[in-house]
């Protein structure tokens, strides 16, 4: 080998040796640790992509499926809808200090929310919905002050909603529907001042609707349906808030006075959907003088309660499109205001299972 050849060989050795000895970054090691829990990946989305051969030593494996990089750091892990099975060790993501989005919805993953969840300080978006996660929601969840959207829906989480939840100062959307959560709803919910959409439906929450929801000035949608909530309807909230969609159906709510439903005439003009069906509400829709308006409601569902008496005339209801009053004890005639010739004014009307003439 000539002088030039030996020089080039030594130069190549100097350049390549440090790279060969370089260790994977902390972010890569965390992702590989998560991969170990995967037992079935039918499309090979993770198992065929996250491998040592494709490691990028700048710190973030941008070529790996579902991994989003921001410079040398992992900013997002998105594994939605790939039918991946296994035990998801979410604690490893605490090592991803720049992680903004963690989403693995619609898979078959089990595991729990880790005790070190507070370490995900940069996290803004968390969606692990429709899996098999279980266990309690840890108190430290309230430390995620950057979190804007969180969905834990469609899992097997149990226990209460922690009081620390009011620490989620940036949270705009919270969905924990379809779990086995129980206990009373914390008063801390009124501290979620950035909240736009709140869905706590299909759980086993008990006691009453917490006071103070009207303080959530950005709230547009609240769904508490199919729990075991008792007590009265929060009419103050329905009258004073700027919410548009309210679903309190499928609970144990009762009327505090026989003439309580007169408040429907004063409901906030922002409310377009109100579902109070499948509760234990009593009384009449008429309070001396006929109830003439229902705000700007487009959908009103009072079906499957214990309401009675004559129906109002519905002569001045211009916005209502869907009216469901089935399975009550209403009597008298079908109101003429609901008919226009032989055609319904409404798109949908259900008065079945009453005592109407």
């Amino acid at each position: 080998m000539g002088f030039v050849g030996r020089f080039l060989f030594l130069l190549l050795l100097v350049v390549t040796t440090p790279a060969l000895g370089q260790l994977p970054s902390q972010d890569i090691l965390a992702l590989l640790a998560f991969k170990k829990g995967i037992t079935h990946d039918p499309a090979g989305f993770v198992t065929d992509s996250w491998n040592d051969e494709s490691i990028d030593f700048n710190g973030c494996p941008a070529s790996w499926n579902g991994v989003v990089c921001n410079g040398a750091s992992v900013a997002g892990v998105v594994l939605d809808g790939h039918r991946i099975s296994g035990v998801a060790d979410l604690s490893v993501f605490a090592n991803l200090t720049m992680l903004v989005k963690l989403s693995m919805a619609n898979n078959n993953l089990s595991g729990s929310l880790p005790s070190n969840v507070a370490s995900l300080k940069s996290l803004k978006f968390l969606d692990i919905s429709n899996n098999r996660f279980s266990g309690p929601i840890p108190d430290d969840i309230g430390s995620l002050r950057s979190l804007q959207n969180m969905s834990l829906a469609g899992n097997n989480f149990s226990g209460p909603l922690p009081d620390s939840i009011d620490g989620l100062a940036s949270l705009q959307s919270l969905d924990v529907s379809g779990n086995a959560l129980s206990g009373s709803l914390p008063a801390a919910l009124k501290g979620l001042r950035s909240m736009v959409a709140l869905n706590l439906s299909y759980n086993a929450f008990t006691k009453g609707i917490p006071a103070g929801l009207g303080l959530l000035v950005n709230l547009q949608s609240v769904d508490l349906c199919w729990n075991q909530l008792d007590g009265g309807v929060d009419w103050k909230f329905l009258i004073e808030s700027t919410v548009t969609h309210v679903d309190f159906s499928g609970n144990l709510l009762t009327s505090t006075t026989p003439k309580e439903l007169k408040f429907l005439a004063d409901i906030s003009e922002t409310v377009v959907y109100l579902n109070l069906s499948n509760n234990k509400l009593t009384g009449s829709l008429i309070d001396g003088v006929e109830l003439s308006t229902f705000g700007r409601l487009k959908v009103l569902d009072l079906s499957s309660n214990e309401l009675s008496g004559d129906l109002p005339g519905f002569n001045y209801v211009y916005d209502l499109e869907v009216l469901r009053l089935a399975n009550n004890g209403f009597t008298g005639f079908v109101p003429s205001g609901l008919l226009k010739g032989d055609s319904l004014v409404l798109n949908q009307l259900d008065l079945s299972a009453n005592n109407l003439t």
Side-chain angles (χ1 to χ4, degrees), residues 141-160:
I141 199 79
S143 299
L144 301 180
R145 299 189 179 278
S146 298
L147 197 63
Q148 297 176 2
N149 294 274
M150 179 167 69
S151 179
L152 310 179
N155 283 287
N156 296 308
F157 289 111
S158 58

Side-chain angles (χ1 to χ4, degrees), residues 243-270:
V243 71
T244 60
H245 179 110
V246 180
D247 193 341
F248 293 160
S249 64
N251 282 287
L252 304 171
L253 301 177
T254 56
S255 299
T256 55
T257 68
K259 300 179 180 180
E260 180 176 307
L261 290 177
K262 68 180 182 180
F263 291 121
L264 283 171
D266 301 317
I267 197 170
S268 169
E269 291 197 351
T270 63

Side-chain angles (χ1 to χ4, degrees), residues 13-351:
L13 190 64
V14 169
V15 169
T16 58
T17 298
L20 291 173
Q22 186 173 350
L23 294 174
S25 68
Q26 175 178 271
D27 287 15
I28 290 173
L29 292 175
L31 294 175
L32 291 175
F34 174 80
K35 177 188 173 182
K36 290 180 181 179
I38 294 177
T39 56
H40 183 60
D41 183 3
F45 188 76
V46 172
T47 54
D48 292 349
S49 173
W50 295 16
N51 56 69
D52 297 343
E53 288 76 17
S54 61
I55 284 180
D56 185 344
F57 284 100
N58 75 348
C60 187
S63 61
W64 289 8
N65 289 338
V67 176
V68 180
C69 294
N70 182 4
S73 299
V74 174
V77 178
V78 183
L79 307 176
D80 299 339
H82 292 286
R83 296 179 295 160
I84 299 170
S85 301
V87 178
D89 183 3
L90 301 183
S91 67
V92 301
F93 293 114
N95 293 319
L96 305 181
T97 56
M98 301 301 292
L99 188 65
V100 175
K101 181 173 184 177
L102 178 58
S103 187
M104 48 187 70
N106 303 309
N107 285 291
N108 193 31
L109 297 168
S110 61
S112 60
L113 285 175
S115 57
N116 65 347
V117 67
S119 299
L120 300 170
K121 297 186 182 301
S122 300
L123 199 64
K124 293 183 178 180
F125 185 98
L126 173 63
D127 187 352
I128 57 173
S129 60
N130 300 315
N131 280 285
R132 294 189 297 114
F133 289 100
S134 59
I137 298 175
D139 288 336
D140 285 349
I141 199 79
S143 299
L144 301 180
R145 299 189 179 278
S146 298
L147 197 63
Q148 297 176 2
N149 294 274
M150 179 167 69
S151 179
L152 310 179
N155 283 287
N156 296 308
F157 289 111
S158 58
L161 202 60
D163 290 327
S164 62
I165 199 167
D166 61 355
L168 302 175
S170 302
L171 197 64
Q172 299 173 16
S173 175
L174 173 62
D175 188 352
V176 296
S177 61
N179 282 283
L181 298 171
S182 60
S184 58
L185 293 176
L189 284 171
K190 66 184 179 183
L192 300 175
R193 300 301 175 89
S194 300
M195 185 62 63
V196 176
L198 177 64
N199 190 345
L200 310 180
S201 63
Y202 292 94
N203 281 285
F205 291 117
T206 55
K207 299 188 178 178
I209 298 171
L213 290 180
L215 297 174
L216 308 183
V217 295
N218 297 304
L219 191 64
Q220 295 294 306
S221 174
V222 55
D223 190 344
L224 306 181
C225 76
W226 296 101
N227 281 282
Q228 299 170 27
L229 300 172
D230 56 20
V233 176
D234 189 349
W235 292 106
K236 179 178 173 63
F237 166 66
L238 292 175
I239 292 171
E240 297 179 357
S241 78
T242 56
V243 71
T244 60
H245 179 110
V246 180
D247 193 341
F248 293 160
S249 64
N251 282 287
L252 304 171
L253 301 177
T254 56
S255 299
T256 55
T257 68
K259 300 179 180 180
E260 180 176 307
L261 290 177
K262 68 180 182 180
F263 291 121
L264 283 171
D266 301 317
I267 197 170
S268 169
E269 291 197 351
T270 63
V271 181
V272 296
Y273 179 99
L274 177 61
N275 191 343
L276 299 175
S277 67
N278 292 281
N279 279 287
K280 296 181 176 297
L281 301 178
T282 56
S284 170
L285 292 180
I286 297 178
D287 175 30
V289 296
E290 190 171 297
L291 185 64
S292 58
T293 65
F294 293 92
R296 304 300 295 271
L297 279 172
K298 294 183 181 298
V299 178
L300 175 61
D301 193 342
L302 298 173
S303 58
S304 298
N305 278 286
E306 299 170 14
L307 303 174
S308 59
D310 293 343
L311 292 176
F314 293 95
N315 294 313
Y316 304 101
V317 178
Y318 302 113
D319 295 286
L320 202 61
E321 298 175 1
V322 176
L323 177 62
R324 303 188 187 104
L325 302 176
N327 293 295
N328 280 287
F330 291 116
T331 55
F333 293 95
V334 176
S336 59
L338 295 177
L339 304 173
K340 188 176 183 180
D342 293 327
S343 302
L344 288 175
V345 175
L346 303 167
N347 294 331
Q348 187 180 132
L349 172 64
D350 189 354
L351 302 176

